[in-house]
Amino acid sequence: MSFRDETEEGRNDLRRPFLHTGSWYRMGSRQSSMLESSQVIRDSSISVLACVLIVALGPIQFGFTCGYSSPTQAAITKDLGLTVSEYSVFGSLSNVGAMVGAIASGQISEYIGRKGSLMIAAIPNIIGWLSISFAKDTSFLYMGRLLEGFGVGIISYTVPVYIAEIAPQNMRGALGSVNQLSVTIGIMLAYLLGLFVPWRILAVLGVLPCTLLIPGLFFIPESPRWLAKMGLTDDFETSLQVLRGFDTDITIEVNEIKRSVASSTKRSAIRFVDLKRRRYYFPLMVGIGLLVLQQLGGINGVLFYSSTIFKSAGVSSSNVATFGVGAVQVVATAVATWLVDKSGRRLLLMISSIGMTISLVIVAVAFYLKEFVSPESDMYNILSMVSVVGVVTMVIACSLGMGPIPWLIMSEILPVNIKGLAGSIATLANWFVSWLVTMTANMLLAWSSGGTFTLYALVCGFTVAFVSLWVPETKGKTLEEIQALFR
């Protein structure tokens, strides 16, 4: 497909993305023949998969931040003389920073582009990790955790949206699940490296994902849907052609995106009264509901304090067991990535939430029974193993659906004209509940391990009903077709 001449170049320059990079695929001079320019572009084309792998460095950073607090708890509390409550504050401050990042994420990504917002997210992450590595007291420790959280809050919204907007419909589920797969890889790396290196060195290693992400952003195209929404027609078509390959006819997809953008532009002024309409409130309810229930199920509490949980279960090598959980989580999420475009989103969510409910009930019963058994008895050891198996099974079940799919569905179902605002609200809700769970997990476990897992099980039981009643199937549909479901 041929590209249009830039007849409105002066006006469009005012709306160029903040990080107008990836332009190496348009190296030909404006005076060059179309044949020469096309050949340069053809030789320089890159795949959607390469773009996804580059932006996946962001979620790896996300996961590393989540996993850092588990293997380092004993060392940090000893070196800096922290109490359990002070370390709980440290663990939860990343969520506080992420809430601030979430509030800003939608508007930042709408005004300066998906890549520009990732660049902004990378910088505080790097500063935050360095702050933690040099911390002598809680001030630098807390400041670093807040900065990390701010960057992660932006990343958690922007990456799934970018992937959803560049992926072909038949690959969107699998590529979208790479986001959560990368998070689990980051968690596993934090667990693994935490076995061998001191906590300060581990913080320095946390700088690496974003350090690699920054130059990588200069080699990928901006989201074509965002470019179309900004009125940058020539850039939009070029970006889409690069992503689909230069032997692919993109006419149909270009026209679908143009119609969707034109339709949303007519309704660009959204008032609160408009949120009463089903096309807006229903996808927002589903997106927020899934992301809130994902956290209320307790997965972050389990992952952040898995070493403590295993110690209370009587496991001597708790950090090694924690790494095992991280490895299992990666494998299970990889399986979900493979299945999501085959079995669909709803089925995996149902299987996942049912599996989590059963696992959490088993863990809760095991901890309750241990209160009536002598620590020296064989039954106590058996119950300890049952609780560990239950926790691992819960992590596997979560990784098959409730881990990756809520972020995927959020990026798919929100209408284009409210995606920035609605995405910020949904991401903020997720991080606020994550903060509550992380802040209270240690204290709840100290109160009653069995009671804690019972509360998480009740939430997962409600999730089964929520998914069966309200979550639509989005497999095999374009983003424009999904939005049409709510009209």
Side-chain angles (χ1 to χ4, degrees):
M1 183 178 184
S2 62
F3 303 125
R4 300 180 179 180
D5 294 331
E6 295 181 82
T7 56
E8 299 180 343
E9 182 181 349
R11 180 167 60 88
N12 284 344
D13 278 344
L14 298 175
R15 295 178 291 179
R16 295 287 177 188
F18 170 76
L19 188 64
H20 191 55
T21 53
S23 54
W24 51 270
Y25 52 71
R26 301 183 62 195
M27 294 180 198
S29 119
R30 299 185 187 277
Q31 287 74 37
S32 300
S33 69
M34 179 59 71
L35 180 62
E36 291 172 347
S37 297
S38 297
Q39 187 60 44
V40 171
I41 296 173
R42 184 185 299 273
D43 293 341
S44 303
S45 66
I46 61 175
S47 68
V48 172
L49 180 59
C51 296
V52 171
L53 292 177
I54 289 172
V55 298
L57 290 165
I60 288 175
Q61 178 74 85
F62 178 171
F64 203 89
T65 300
C66 292
Y68 179 80
S69 62
S70 183
T72 59
Q73 179 169 358
I76 292 179
T77 52
K78 180 181 177 181
D79 290 353
L80 301 183
L82 305 184
T83 63
V84 172
S85 60
E86 286 175 328
Y87 193 81
S88 294
V89 170
F90 168 71
S92 65
L93 276 177
S94 62
N95 301 99
V96 176
M99 283 188 273
V100 179
I103 293 170
S105 62
Q107 298 307 307
I108 291 174
S109 65
E110 288 300 305
Y111 282 107
I112 66 175
R114 314 314 189 203
K115 295 197 305 172
S117 60
L118 287 176
M119 176 70 81
I120 287 176
I123 295 170
N125 263 297
I126 293 172
I127 297 172
W129 282 115
L130 293 176
S131 176
I132 290 175
S133 67
F134 291 108
K136 300 296 184 183
D137 53 28
T138 55
S139 58
F140 268 70
L141 202 66
Y142 289 174
M143 181 183 71
R145 195 71 169 167
L146 279 169
L147 288 171
E148 286 173 17
F150 177 78
V152 164
I154 297 174
I155 287 169
S156 62
Y157 168 76
T158 307
V159 171
V161 167
Y162 177 78
I163 293 174
E165 291 179 344
I166 69 171
Q169 67 185 68
N170 62 322
M171 297 173 63
R172 194 177 60 247
L175 293 177
S177 297
V178 169
N179 175 62
Q180 184 64 22
L181 177 61
S182 301
V183 172
T184 62
I185 290 172
I187 293 172
M188 184 189 69
L189 287 174
Y191 289 167
L192 175 62
L193 295 171
L195 294 173
F196 304 106
V197 300
W199 64 272
R200 294 185 189 276
I201 302 299
L202 189 62
V204 173
L205 294 175
V207 170
L208 293 178
C210 281
T211 304
L212 296 173
L213 174 63
I214 291 173
L217 291 172
F218 287 87
F219 294 93
I220 61 175
E222 181 57 86
S223 160
R225 284 178 170 83
W226 181 81
L227 291 168
K229 181 180 177 181
M230 298 301 290
L232 302 172
T233 304
D234 188 57
D235 289 327
F236 143 58
E237 295 184 7
T238 303
S239 175
L240 188 63
Q241 191 77 72
V242 169
L243 291 165
R244 298 294 177 261
F246 287 90
D247 293 325
T248 303
D249 184 358
I250 61 172
T251 305
I252 295 175
E253 190 171 4
V254 164
N255 290 334
E256 285 180 353
I257 294 173
K258 284 181 178 178
R259 280 195 297 269
S260 176
V261 168
S263 176
S264 66
T265 301
K266 293 176 184 177
R267 297 183 295 272
S268 58
I270 298 296
R271 299 167 298 171
F272 277 105
V273 69
D274 293 326
L275 295 179
K276 295 180 181 178
R277 298 168 61 186
R278 187 178 186 275
R279 63 175 291 121
Y280 296 126
Y281 81 76
F282 190 81
L284 188 58
M285 178 199 74
V286 172
I288 292 176
L290 282 176
L291 288 173
V292 167
L293 290 171
Q294 177 197 61
Q295 295 301 328
L296 284 178
I299 186 62
N300 266 1
V302 170
L303 293 176
F304 273 49
Y305 302 109
S306 50
S307 292
T308 303
I309 292 170
F310 287 135
K311 280 182 181 177
S312 66
V315 177
S316 55
S317 301
S318 56
N319 282 338
V320 175
T322 298
F323 165 68
V325 169
V328 166
Q329 189 183 24
V330 171
V331 173
T333 307
V335 172
T337 301
W338 177 67
L339 287 175
V340 69
D341 278 324
K342 296 178 174 62
S343 60
R345 282 60 154 163
R346 274 175 55 88
L347 178 60
L348 286 179
L349 284 173
M350 290 292 291
I351 292 172
S352 174
S353 50
I354 291 171
M356 289 177 70
T357 304
I358 295 171
S359 302
L360 288 166
V361 168
I362 291 172
V363 175
V365 170
F367 274 114
Y368 280 132
L369 292 176
K370 285 176 68 175
E371 295 177 5
F372 304 99
V373 177
S374 171
E376 288 77 28
S377 66
D378 291 338
M379 179 57 68
Y380 188 91
N381 294 330
I382 292 172
L383 291 173
S384 296
M385 292 308 300
V386 168
S387 62
V388 170
V389 171
V391 168
V392 173
T393 306
M394 179 256 195
V395 171
I396 293 173
C398 180
S399 300
L400 287 174
M402 284 304 294
I405 294 178
W407 290 107
L408 172 62
I409 289 181
M410 182 274 292
S411 68
E412 291 178 324
I413 67 174
L414 296 179
V416 173
N417 53 326
I418 66 165
K419 181 170 279 189
L421 177 60
S424 290
I425 294 171
T427 308
L428 172 62
N430 178 269
W431 281 110
F432 176 71
V433 178
S434 177
W435 171 75
L436 285 179
V437 171
T438 308
M439 187 67 183
T440 59
N442 246 357
M443 291 176 275
L444 283 172
L445 288 167
W447 160 67
S448 170
S449 296
T452 302
F453 287 103
T454 299
L455 291 174
Y456 294 159
L458 290 173
V459 173
C460 291
F462 175 76
T463 303
V464 177
F466 182 88
V467 172
S468 63
L469 291 174
W470 292 304
V471 177
E473 180 56 70
T474 59
K475 182 186 75 169
K477 296 180 175 66
T478 66
L479 296 182
E480 291 70 35
E481 289 170 343
I482 292 169
Q483 289 158 25
L485 294 174
F486 305 113
R487 291 174 185 170

